[in-house]
Amino acid sequence: MSKIALITGITGQDGSYLAQLLLTKGYEVHGIRRRASSFNTMRLEALHQHSLSGAPSRLRLHFGDLTDASSVTQVIAKVQPDEIYNLGAQSHVNVSFGTPEYTTDVNALGPVRILEAIRSLKIGNKVRFYQASTSEIFGATQEAPQNESTAFSPRSPYAIAKLHAYWTTRLYRQAYGVHASNGILFNHESPMRGETFVTRKITRGIADIERGLQSSIVLGNLDATRDWGHARDYVEGMWRMLQQPEGDDYVLATGVSHTVRTFVETAFRHVGRTIIWEGEDLSEVGRDAVSGQVLVRCDGQHLRPSEVGALIGDASKAKARLGWTPRASFEDLVEEMMVHDMRLGGFSNFTSRAPSRQSGLLESA
Ligand code: NAP
Ligand code: GDD
């Protein structure tokens, strides 16, 4: 009998990589998707195509929403999963400052709804639960690198809601004996990354500059640092957490950090351009060293009301207990994203693939 997994946020970056991993491992994979006025399952299209060519599809989607307890409970009751991966979230930190109440509803109360469903359905002794926690909960911490013992200091509505979810997950583990784990993941990117996160904004922007579709990329804080890994490596870590005899909390990170500025320079090198920086603060620009063309500009709208400190993770516990290590280097990651966006032409081509078979994924369309 194959194991059954349920993934919330299956239409997102991590959801698509995790679904692929679990299908490869022989799981029957179910996902909760939100109802939208246009197709939002583009990232899953390749998986569905793959299944069309072989055995009957082991991937099923169900409409639901983390803000709606009844839909969450109904899907769990119907699917009877062995493992639940809660990846669904309003995941954009800057957006959370403008939508604090909604962000809290999805990111903090969403996991409460899932864990209460597990309790009310009396499946707490059978199901294993993964919560997508985040390095953002370390926020303004002075400690570096950060590990599972580092004090929390969240600096955004997003991070505060995720910290609520972190404690909720621990509570259900300790109070009710649920196999529940927090994956405290540092930034991880890929060609499937959403286009408003800085890495994809840069790689897609460069692809569009090279096509003559835009003249420059407009960014915020160029000196922000992040510990960037590859999403493919991180979903492997999520799965490993749920294969342990007990639930626990683990940091996943590369232990190497770079600035946004370095990401920009590295990505432009892929298309043979060297960036020269001129000016200060929001007047700073990045020019092509040869042509002098301004390729990078700054705009205050991309600055946040409060920023986190230098986030860099220590994943020693995951390495020792899970045997997990990230494979892709920073350079590998930038290269893969650039190759993808140069080939596909970034956002416009990605979204223009209007799939006709989308409803084939749905049990209850
Ligand atoms: P993502 O690409 O933004 O995907 C978020 C997913 O959540 C999407 O499938 C989205 O659906 C879904 N979602 C949003 N609101 C929902 C709601 N109300 N009900 C049900 N589903 C909802 O994010 P990601 O990068 O894959 O990240 C996955 C998870 O890991 C998130 O919880 C994020 O906060 C967390 N995390 C990410 C990173 C990272 O660097 N990527 C690091 C640490 C933690 P739509 O497609 O309909 O929008
Ligand atoms: N998005 C964005 N857009 N960020 C910019 C820009 C810009 O134009 N210019 C500079 N930045 C800086 C931000 O200020 C931030 O310091 C850094 O780039 C990374 O921003 P994002 O790519 O939006 O990611 P994030 O680190 O805020 O959040 C991501 O990682 C978290 C894990 O630490 C998200 O995936 C979260 O869901 C996740 O929890």
Side-chain angles (χ1 to χ4, degrees), residues 40-111:
N40 60 359
T41 52
M42 277 84 70
R43 292 183 176 101
L44 300 172
E45 186 62 6
L47 297 182
H48 185 48
Q49 280 176 5
H50 179 69
S51 68
L52 285 174
S53 63
S57 176
R58 283 177 291 114
L59 174 62
R60 288 275 181 280
L61 300 188
H62 310 263
F63 282 119
D65 198 300
L66 286 165
T67 62
D68 181 56
S70 64
S71 67
V72 169
T73 307
Q74 280 171 40
V75 173
I76 295 173
K78 182 176 177 185
V79 170
Q80 291 289 316
D82 299 295
E83 297 173 8
I84 299 177
Y85 295 86
N86 181 36
L87 310 186
Q90 191 301 93
S91 70
H92 202 287
V93 175
N94 208 10
V95 168
S96 77
F97 287 98
T99 58
E101 188 179 334
Y102 173 71
T103 301
T104 303
D105 194 354
V106 180
N107 297 8
L109 298 184

Side-chain angles (χ1 to χ4, degrees), residues 91-93 134-136 158 185-187 193 196-199 201 218-221 224 226 260 302 304 307 311:
S91 70
H92 202 287
V93 175
T134 165
S135 53
E136 284 285 312
Y158 168 84
L185 272 49
F186 284 63
N187 294 49
R193 186 58 143 151
T196 59
F197 297 96
V198 75
T199 56
K201 185 173 169 183
V218 183
L219 297 172
N221 183 0
R226 287 293 186 279
V260 170
H302 301 300
R304 296 167 183 194
E307 256 290 6
L311 293 182

Side-chain angles (χ1 to χ4, degrees), residues 56-182:
S57 176
R58 283 177 291 114
L59 174 62
R60 288 275 181 280
L61 300 188
H62 310 263
F63 282 119
D65 198 300
L66 286 165
T67 62
D68 181 56
S70 64
S71 67
V72 169
T73 307
Q74 280 171 40
V75 173
I76 295 173
K78 182 176 177 185
V79 170
Q80 291 289 316
D82 299 295
E83 297 173 8
I84 299 177
Y85 295 86
N86 181 36
L87 310 186
Q90 191 301 93
S91 70
H92 202 287
V93 175
N94 208 10
V95 168
S96 77
F97 287 98
T99 58
E101 188 179 334
Y102 173 71
T103 301
T104 303
D105 194 354
V106 180
N107 297 8
L109 298 184
V112 173
R113 293 178 181 115
I114 296 173
L115 286 160
E116 272 303 292
I118 289 172
R119 233 162 57 85
S120 63
L121 294 168
K122 300 190 177 14
I123 54 173
N125 56 351
K126 171 200 174 226
V127 74
R128 297 182 173 198
F129 175 76
Y130 173 87
Q131 168 58 23
S133 191
T134 165
S135 53
E136 284 285 312
I137 60 178
F138 298 125
T141 183
Q142 299 296 310
E143 191 179 317
Q146 297 91 37
N147 63 27
E148 294 80 3
S149 309
T150 302
F152 304 125
S153 185
R155 280 292 182 269
S156 64
Y158 168 84
I160 293 168
K162 284 285 187 176
L163 190 50
H164 186 290
Y166 167 91
W167 284 115
T168 301
T169 301
R170 288 182 64 118
L171 177 72
Y172 279 70
R173 184 167 78 222
Q174 289 155 1
Y176 304 121
V178 178
H179 189 299
S181 299
N182 284 294

